[in-house]
């Protein structure tokens, strides 16, 4: 009876747009769902450093290198805000890292695709950060206070990432024939995986119903994907590139584009561990984490020393 009362009070708060804070009562399923989504989001930011990090030493100019270094560093920072946000729900950083490394936690499937050319750095900034922003603008209004606040700051930084990516693609597409071809090839490879970032169709989405009820998610996977499709089509046109979706067609009645179908077999294969780079990405994380053990130990012993001095 007390539990039912609490459930009702909780839902009333959500319906009244009052944020849920770490010390507030919350249903166990809400807490678990948030830990799942926020930790996966954090892992995506951190694993997402790898495909672009691959190009830092090969950036074509000092300006491009400085921009890329700053961007990759920002993604690491986003991971840290999000791990801290998830920790407010009672899980430790160590537990989350273990889940990433043993394969029980997911991260965005897009990062299992290789970055084969310099244009991929532009395509990731433009399309991957672009898709992330569409989702994250919506998540700024999520019901859990710490997640909502972390999204506000992250969106500001992602906006700079998206612009630098588009500017890079613009430079290539206005360059030599070879540069334009490189930009087109990159768009062809990254367009469909970017649409997959929004998750399965609403009818197939296991968590959407409860996440929408609890206002963890404010818009559905398909609605957000449609926004991204609609905003990207004119951007492709402005670049003077061919749209990778041959079925894309403006629908006057709906006021939006109709589009071709995503390859869902590929989506499920990649998120279940069989993409081009899944094993390499996780192994790289394990190696980097092991190499950084001495830093964590040094920090812990410094903290210990400070504590015993203060005592
Ligand atoms: N990849 O029931 P739903 C960035 C999983 S990177 C992998 O619809 P939900 C920075 C899903 O987790 C982008 N797995 O799930 C950057 C669930 O699995 P589970 C980071 C996916 O949670 C840029 C299952 O499928 N952004 O910003 C994917 O309601 C450039 C069923 O799906 C976020 O992570 C996928 N694409 O909706 C860094 C956004 N889609 O847990 C470097 C936060 C679905 O049952 C370079 N997350 N799954 O095992 C979300 O908004 C949501 O979690 C969704 C999925 C929309 C991704």
């Amino acid at each position: 009876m007390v539990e039912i009362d609490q459930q009702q009070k909780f839902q009333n708060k959500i319906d009244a747009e009052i944020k849920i804070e770490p010390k507030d009562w919350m249903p166990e399923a809400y807490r678990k769902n948030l830990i799942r989504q926020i930790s996966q989001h954090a892992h995506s930011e951190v694993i997402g450093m790898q495909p672009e990090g691959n190009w830092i030493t090969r950036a074509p100019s000092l300006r491009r290198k400085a921009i890329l270094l700053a961007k990759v560093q920002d993604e690491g920072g986003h991971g840290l805000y999000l791990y801290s946000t998830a920790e407010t729900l009672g899980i430790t950083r160590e537990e989350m890292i273990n889940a990433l490394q043993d394969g029980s936690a997911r991260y965005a499937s897009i990062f299992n695709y290789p970055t084969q050319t310099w244009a991929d750095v532009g395509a990731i900034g433009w399309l991957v950060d672009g898709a992330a922003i569409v989702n994250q603008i919506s998540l700024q209004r999520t019901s859990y206070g710490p997640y909502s606040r972390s999204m506000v700051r992250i969106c500001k930084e992602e906006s700079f990432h998206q612009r630098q990516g588009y500017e890079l693609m613009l430079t290539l597409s206005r360059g030599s024939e070879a540069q334009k071809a490189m930009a087109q090839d990159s768009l062809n490879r990254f367009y469909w995986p970017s649409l997959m970032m929004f998750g399965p169709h609403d009818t197939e989405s296991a968590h959407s119903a409860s996440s929408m009820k609890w206002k963890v998610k404010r818009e559905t996977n398909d609605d957000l994907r449609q926004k991204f499709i609609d905003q990207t089509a004119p951007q492709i046109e402005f670049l003077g590139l061919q749209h990778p979706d041959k079925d894309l067609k403006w629908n006057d009645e709906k006021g939006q584009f109709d589009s071709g179908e995503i390859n869902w077999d590929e989506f499920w294969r990649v998120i279940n561990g069989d993409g081009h780079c899944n094993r390499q990405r996780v192994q790289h994380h394990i190696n980097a984490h092991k190499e950084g053990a001495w830093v964590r130990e040094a920090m812990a012993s410094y903290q210990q020393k400070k504590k015993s001095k203060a005592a």
Side-chain angles (χ1 to χ4, degrees):
M1 190 64 194
V2 177
E3 168 87 7
I4 293 170
D5 259 14
Q6 277 178 320
Q7 293 263 10
Q8 194 51 57
K9 273 192 196 151
F10 172 82
Q11 192 60 46
N12 291 347
K13 256 169 107 173
I14 301 265
D15 295 343
E17 298 291 333
I18 298 168
K19 295 279 180 234
I20 306 299
E21 296 298 336
K23 289 186 177 162
D24 295 347
W25 185 90
M26 60 185 85
E28 193 51 18
Y30 175 85
R31 195 181 68 82
K32 282 203 171 128
N33 187 37
L34 273 174
I35 289 178
R36 179 194 64 81
Q37 177 166 330
I38 300 170
S39 64
Q40 290 183 4
H41 195 159
H43 299 326
S44 304
E45 302 276 358
V46 170
I47 294 289
M49 295 166 82
Q50 292 185 40
E52 287 175 298
N54 183 33
W55 282 91
I56 291 173
T57 55
R58 290 175 286 161
S61 68
L62 184 60
R63 174 175 169 265
R64 292 287 182 200
K65 188 178 182 130
I67 294 171
L68 184 57
L69 258 176
K71 179 192 189 295
V72 171
Q73 225 166 13
D74 283 353
E75 307 299 2
H78 298 172
L80 297 186
Y81 312 149
L82 287 161
Y83 283 128
S84 301
T85 304
E87 281 174 312
T88 64
L89 290 154
I91 186 167
T92 66
R93 183 85 56 101
E94 207 180 358
E95 286 171 311
M96 290 185 270
I97 299 290
N98 287 343
L100 169 67
Q101 295 188 346
D102 70 19
S104 51
R106 297 191 197 280
Y107 57 86
S109 52
I110 188 99
F111 301 121
N112 293 309
Y113 292 81
T115 41
Q116 298 174 18
T117 69
W118 170 250
D120 292 356
V121 170
I124 290 181
W126 165 37
L127 298 171
V128 178
D129 284 274
I133 294 170
V134 169
N135 187 10
Q136 291 172 170
I137 284 179
S138 177
L139 285 174
Q140 285 179 352
R141 293 186 300 117
T142 191
S143 56
Y144 188 55
Y147 194 23
S148 155
R149 290 188 286 274
S150 66
M151 282 300 111
V152 173
R153 177 157 177 185
I154 289 176
C155 278
K156 287 191 180 138
E157 293 179 352
E158 302 289 30
S159 170
F160 153 71
H161 298 167
Q162 196 268 350
R163 281 159 207 226
Q164 67 79 38
Y166 193 68
E167 193 261 345
L168 200 165
M169 292 299 270
L170 197 57
T171 307
L172 290 177
S173 58
R174 304 266 153 99
S176 66
E177 275 310 306
Q179 285 173 315
K180 191 169 179 183
M182 198 200 280
Q184 181 69 59
D185 170 63
S186 188
L187 168 60
N188 294 347
R189 284 182 290 106
F190 277 91
Y191 181 75
W192 293 103
S194 300
L195 298 191
M196 294 176 195
M197 287 176 71
F198 297 94
H201 279 314
D202 297 346
T203 46
E204 306 293 317
S205 164
H207 303 289
S208 276
S210 44
S211 283
M212 293 293 290
K213 178 175 157 227
W214 290 325
K215 299 188 179 174
V216 169
K217 281 160 84 164
R218 305 300 305 241
E219 287 166 274
T220 70
N221 298 0
D222 285 327
D223 286 349
L224 290 170
R225 185 170 16 247
Q226 186 66 47
K227 273 192 185 168
F228 179 72
I229 290 170
D230 292 342
Q231 84 175 28
T232 305
Q235 293 170 348
I236 295 175
E237 198 182 340
F238 187 75
L239 290 175
L241 299 177
Q242 296 293 316
H243 202 295
D245 182 355
K246 300 298 168 231
D247 295 324
L248 193 90
K249 213 172 144 216
W250 179 252
N251 184 325
D252 235 350
E253 213 172 292
K254 287 193 197 155
Q256 61 191 37
F257 284 96
D258 289 332
S259 50
E261 196 47 283
I262 289 170
N263 181 342
W264 292 108
D265 287 343
E266 175 181 322
F267 169 80
W268 290 111
R269 198 167 45 71
V270 176
I271 77 164
N272 287 325
D274 200 20
H276 198 97
C277 299
N278 296 59
R279 283 165 279 274
Q280 181 190 335
R281 299 291 186 235
V282 172
Q283 193 55 51
H284 185 80
H285 190 278
I286 292 171
N287 296 346
H289 196 66
K290 271 191 195 146
E291 278 169 27
W294 69 272
V295 180
R296 293 189 296 279
E297 280 160 25
M299 291 291 289
S301 74
Y302 175 72
Q303 291 295 342
Q304 194 56 41
K305 228 178 182 177
K306 253 180 50 182
K307 256 192 210 158
S308 47
K309 253 192 185 168

